[in-house]
């Protein structure tokens, strides 16, 4: 692995694009200090230029050099959850240029725990800008094969790191406004965070972030959330090729179905691979059994609601 990671760091230094595994999803990386490299990253993703991107580091010390104020709460969260699936939004320092912040005065920072990501960041010795390694708006990749299927030759190197353990994107906390706001739920839950700080509800003025768009993380096949007791009725009514994601086998005959785990962590880990599989089943409609309405399912519900939002 070492020589491969060394090559990846060289490609990044030369302004190239490297996809790499993280514990959440695979990222599409570029040198976060190189305007041209980041421009190519945005073009490859098909992402609007005014959307900010998360910058990844090998340590909290290095990450915090990209912030001009590091509140005590940020240090507490970093101590507790880094390296890991948490992104902190902080007021930026001069190192964070407009082309990574989308022109905002804040920057998204993350220290991932995946050993391959960590080694790459250590070797690169700088910030790596990395959105999820998929085309804009589509389902995030959780394996190297997903990345290759999405991006093909548009990426210079794909580092292999096995299936992502968490399976959904990092929890994002905005600390740039004086209070703490949860912008995106993830494996680190609201309850986990509230053991260390008070969270404010996200207001309408919360900063632009693509995960905040109504429809996101979406398969190409139209998808819909359906309560368990309506599932069979809906399948019968549709009379077309239907693919189903559910906790147990539907009674009605369907063309394709996948059973999902009953624990939210295990469900999240499988979610994107499952949506991708159902998307390639050649069906007209995907039906997803609604997960429980409890706090521990918040992050999964968020991704499913976005995957199922009307286009
Ligand atoms: O788990 C993850 O966070 C993955 C892996 C690769 O680290 N990355 C990821 O990146 O999900 P992306 O670009 O797909 O989503 C990043 C989110 C977006 O919604 C972005 O707009 C938001 O973070 N974001 C980044 N910087 C921000 C800022 N300064 N203010 C508000 N939102 C920000
Ligand atoms: Mg994404």
């Amino acid at each position: 692995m070492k020589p491969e990671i060394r090559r990846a760091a060289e490609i990044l230094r030369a302004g190239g694009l490297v996809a790499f595994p993280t514990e959440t999803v695979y990222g599409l990386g570029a040198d976060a200090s190189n305007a041209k490299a980041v421009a190519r990253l945005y073009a490859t993703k098909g992402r609007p230029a005014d959307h900010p991107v998360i910058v990844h580091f090998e340590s909290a010390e290095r990450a915090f050099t990209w912030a001009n104020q590091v509140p005590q709460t940020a240090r507490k969260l970093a101590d507790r959850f880094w390296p890991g699936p948490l992104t902190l939004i902080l007021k930026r320092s001069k190192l964070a240029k407009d082309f990574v912040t989308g022109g905002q005065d804040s920057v998204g920072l993350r220290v991932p725990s995946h050993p391959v990501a960590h080694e790459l960041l250590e070797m690169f010795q700088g910030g790596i800008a990395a959105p999820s390694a998929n085309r804009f708006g589509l389902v995030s990749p959780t394996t190297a094969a997903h990345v290759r299927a999405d991006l093909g030759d548009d990426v210079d190197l794909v580092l292999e790191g096995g299936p992502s353990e968490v399976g959904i994107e990092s929890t994002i906390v905005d600390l740039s406004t004086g209070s703490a706001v949860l912008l995106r739920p993830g494996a680190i839950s609201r309850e986990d965070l509230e053991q260390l700080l008070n969270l404010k509800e996200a207001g309408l003025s919360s900063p632009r972030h693509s995960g905040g768009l109504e429809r996101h993380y979406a398969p190409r096949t139209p998808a819909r959330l359906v309560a368990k007791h309506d599932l069979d009725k809906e399948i019968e009514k549709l009379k077309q090729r239907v693919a189903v994601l559910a906790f147990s086998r539907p009674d009605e005959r369907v063309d394709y179905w996948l059973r999902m785990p009953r624990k939210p962590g295990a469900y999240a880990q499988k979610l994107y691979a499952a949506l991708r599989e159902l998307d390639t089943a050649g069906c007209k409609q995907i039906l997803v059994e609604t997960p429980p309405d409890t706090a521990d399912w918040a992050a999964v519900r968020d991704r499913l609601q976005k995957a199922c939002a009307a286009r």
Side-chain angles (χ1 to χ4, degrees):
M1 202 71 215
K2 267 258 159 43
E4 191 77 349
I5 295 178
R6 185 160 304 123
R7 214 178 108 222
E10 278 160 17
I11 290 171
L12 290 173
R13 268 181 225 117
L17 300 183
V18 172
F20 61 98
T22 86
E23 67 279 17
T24 57
V25 300
Y26 276 65
L28 179 61
D31 178 354
S33 304
N34 181 334
K36 261 201 189 144
V38 174
R40 193 183 143 203
L41 171 67
Y42 274 61
T44 300
K45 260 206 79 108
R47 183 178 205 168
D50 63 348
H51 280 251
V53 71
I54 296 172
V55 188
H56 299 67
F57 299 89
E58 101 277 4
S59 68
E61 295 90 281
R62 194 184 283 275
F64 286 153
T65 64
W66 282 54
N68 86 345
Q69 286 160 29
V70 183
Q72 207 44 46
T73 46
R75 293 192 195 279
K76 272 205 266 181
L77 290 175
D79 279 350
R80 173 76 181 77
F81 297 114
W82 278 353
L86 176 71
T87 295
L88 297 179
I89 311 292
L90 297 176
K91 282 253 183 303
R92 66 171 165 176
S93 76
K94 285 198 190 106
L95 294 174
K97 302 287 198 289
D98 281 348
F99 56 82
V100 289
T101 70
Q104 301 185 78
D105 203 29
S106 60
V107 62
L109 307 172
R110 176 158 121 75
V111 178
S113 65
H114 193 292
V116 173
H118 185 77
E119 234 181 281
L120 174 65
L121 287 159
E122 224 171 18
M123 210 165 274
F124 181 65
Q125 290 284 301
I128 300 180
S132 49
N134 55 288
R135 308 271 181 211
F136 186 67
L138 298 178
V139 179
S140 295
T142 53
T143 67
H146 292 163
V147 178
R148 280 188 221 101
D150 281 5
L151 301 179
D153 291 340
D154 292 350
V155 47
D156 299 313
L157 179 69
V158 181
L159 287 175
E160 179 64 62
S164 294
E165 240 179 87
V166 173
I168 56 174
E169 303 79 359
S170 60
T171 302
I172 303 182
V173 180
D174 185 0
L175 297 171
S176 70
T177 61
S179 47
V181 180
L182 180 60
L183 292 185
R184 182 171 72 185
I188 294 170
S189 69
R190 174 176 284 275
E191 290 66 37
D192 296 334
L193 297 166
E194 280 176 336
Q195 296 190 345
L196 298 180
L197 48 73
N198 291 314
L199 283 174
K200 233 184 72 181
E201 285 307 314
L204 286 175
S205 63
S206 59
R208 233 180 350 244
H209 64 115
S210 52
L213 294 180
E214 199 73 330
R215 184 169 178 280
H216 205 68
Y217 316 111
R220 291 185 169 86
T221 314
R224 198 139 56 77
L225 277 162
V226 180
K228 177 171 178 51
H229 58 268
D230 288 334
L231 202 52
D232 285 307
K233 215 165 49 198
E234 284 299 313
I235 294 167
E236 201 195 344
K237 214 165 68 190
L238 279 167
K239 301 209 185 320
Q240 55 185 359
R241 290 179 61 83
V242 179
V244 173
L245 196 65
F247 293 105
S248 53
R249 190 194 194 94
D251 290 334
E252 281 294 323
R253 241 198 58 78
V254 288
D255 293 288
Y256 208 94
W257 84 283
L258 286 176
R259 185 198 301 276
M260 292 300 280
R262 289 184 185 274
K263 294 252 169 62
Y267 190 113
Q269 206 264 324
K270 284 195 161 169
L271 176 59
Y272 289 149
L275 286 176
R276 281 167 181 269
E277 187 177 335
L278 293 187
D279 209 12
T280 56
C283 291
K284 283 265 164 51
Q285 175 78 49
I286 295 173
L287 296 180
V288 181
E289 181 181 342
T290 311
D293 194 24
T294 50
D296 50 341
W297 285 89
V300 165
R301 272 201 315 276
D302 169 76
R303 300 312 190 278
L304 284 175
Q305 274 154 9
K306 281 166 182 149
C308 294
R311 48 198 75 205

